[in-house]
Amino acid sequence: MPNKKKDYQIILASIQKPVIGEAGITGTWSKLKPVINSEKCIPSKSGKPGCFNCWLFCPEGVVSRTIPPKINIEYCKGCGICKEECPASAISMEEVEIE
Ligand code: SF4
Ligand code: SF4
């Protein structure tokens, strides 16, 4: 017989969101960081909420769902997933110094 309580626990564990800052400033792990071109970014151009793939797919939860989207570089790992998922090719990976 299936253990429903246990099944729910497994589902809940799999949808936990990342927590910013738990391991300190982790953005120093990578030098390449995403930079958003606001002239290409869909919500930035239109002024309307839409797309936000960068927010949706970022595994670190460091992209805001705002117009324009903002990236918290101090905690961004530089994985480039946001760049890959951007339908407008508005994100480039560049060398950015964290102060
Ligand atoms: S995925 Fe690209 S177009 Fe969409 S909100 Fe992010 S930067 Fe803008
Ligand atoms: S490079 Fe990776 S960690 Fe940084 S904002 Fe993009 S998806 Fe998130």
Side-chain angles (χ1 to χ4, degrees):
M1 190 168 153
N3 183 339
K4 281 195 174 173
K5 191 176 177 192
K6 196 174 176 191
D7 290 346
Y8 285 135
Q9 284 173 342
I10 291 167
I11 292 166
L12 287 173
S14 67
I15 59 170
Q16 281 181 351
K17 291 185 176 172
V19 179
I20 292 176
E22 210 172 42
I25 295 176
T26 51
T28 52
W29 296 354
S30 165
K31 283 209 163 213
L32 285 181
K33 302 294 178 192
V35 176
I36 298 175
N37 181 337
S38 58
E39 290 180 9
K40 290 184 177 177
C41 169
I42 293 164
S44 301
K45 271 198 318 188
S46 66
K48 294 176 185 165
C51 182
F52 295 123
N53 273 10
C54 48
W55 165 81
L56 182 65
F57 286 98
C58 174
E60 301 301 327
V62 297
V63 184
S64 69
R65 196 178 181 188
T66 55
I67 304 171
K70 290 197 169 37
I71 298 169
N72 187 337
I73 294 299
E74 285 190 333
Y75 298 99
C76 161
K77 308 292 192 301
C79 65
I81 291 173
C82 54
K83 176 184 185 292
E84 293 302 315
E85 298 297 337
C86 175
S89 301
I91 301 177
S92 55
M93 300 300 289
E94 299 177 13
E95 275 199 30
V96 174
E97 288 294 327
I98 297 175
E99 293 169 14

